Amino acid sequence: MTPAHIAEAVRVQAQAFTEDLRESPEVFADRLSRFGEYYRVAFMEGRMVGYMIGFPWKLGETLVNNEKFPADLPAPDCFYIHDIAILPEARGAGISKAMLEDAYKTAHRLGFDAVSLVAVGQSGSYWDNAGYVPYTLVGPRKLERIVDIYGPGARLMALPI
């Protein structure tokens, strides 16, 4: 992903996520400026149909949705997948699978042995089927905070790789 892709990524997220989970172009730009080398985009017939936002992060830590990165970043020990957004008409084409495989290769290349994410909304069963398990090595306050940020049913999950 490059800065030129931000407007299209915002369009994709508008169709892939509920309004409460969407992020502004300014947040995309901030995150892209910090970790853009790890972001991926997918095109079909010359049109962006999906993207993945991932970056080195601290297992058990999460971002606040639609907020810029903090000035001081945690010491990373895993690869964190913040978003995978695929347009409805492109689902089932193997895009998510390819993006996940890329994330796992990136995690290995960076020396990490885990990938983490927050499953939101109805996506929990997808991540369960992909082998992710709830990450419970954080306190109840942290888990409550995740639900406050990402909505009912949000789960912090991890996958050893």
Side-chain angles (χ1 to χ4, degrees), residues 8-9 13 19-20 29 31 46 68 75 82 87 97 113 115 117 123 127 135-136 138 141-143 152:
E8 282 297 293
Q13 87 168 335
E19 189 172 342
D20 59 317
R31 294 182 179 175
K68 295 178 180 180
H82 180 64
L87 290 178
K97 182 179 178 182
D113 60 4
V115 175
L117 54 84
S123 70
W127 297 112
Y135 185 76
T136 57
V138 294
R141 279 196 167 152
K142 176 69 172 184
L143 296 175

Side-chain angles (χ1 to χ4, degrees), residues 49-62:
V49 295
Y51 66 84
M52 180 188 74
I53 295 176
F55 39 83
W57 205 245
K58 178 78 175 159
L59 190 58
E61 293 296 318
T62 59

Side-chain angles (χ1 to χ4, degrees), residues 12-117:
V12 168
Q13 87 168 335
Q15 294 181 56
F17 297 141
T18 57
E19 189 172 342
D20 59 317
L21 296 175
R22 296 179 195 156
E23 297 182 307
S24 71
E26 294 77 22
V27 168
F28 267 93
D30 173 69
R31 294 182 179 175
L32 186 65
S33 73
R34 304 284 285 275
F35 290 115
E37 73 250 41
Y38 306 113
Y39 292 20
R40 302 293 181 258
V41 292
F43 288 84
M44 293 175 83
E45 299 176 3
R47 185 171 82 111
M48 184 188 294
V49 295
Y51 66 84
M52 180 188 74
I53 295 176
F55 39 83
W57 205 245
K58 178 78 175 159
L59 190 58
E61 293 296 318
T62 59
L63 297 172
V64 175
N65 204 47
N66 201 29
E67 286 188 13
K68 295 178 180 180
F69 278 122
D72 295 320
L73 299 175
D77 60 3
C78 75
F79 193 77
Y80 182 80
I81 298 172
H82 180 64
D83 280 346
I84 293 183
I86 309 294
L87 290 178
E89 65 267 22
R91 293 179 186 152
I95 295 169
S96 292
K97 182 179 178 182
M99 288 183 175
L100 285 173
E101 288 173 4
D102 182 73
Y104 303 154
K105 287 177 187 173
T106 299
H108 278 296
R109 184 173 41 83
L110 295 171
F112 302 138
D113 60 4
V115 175
S116 69
L117 54 84

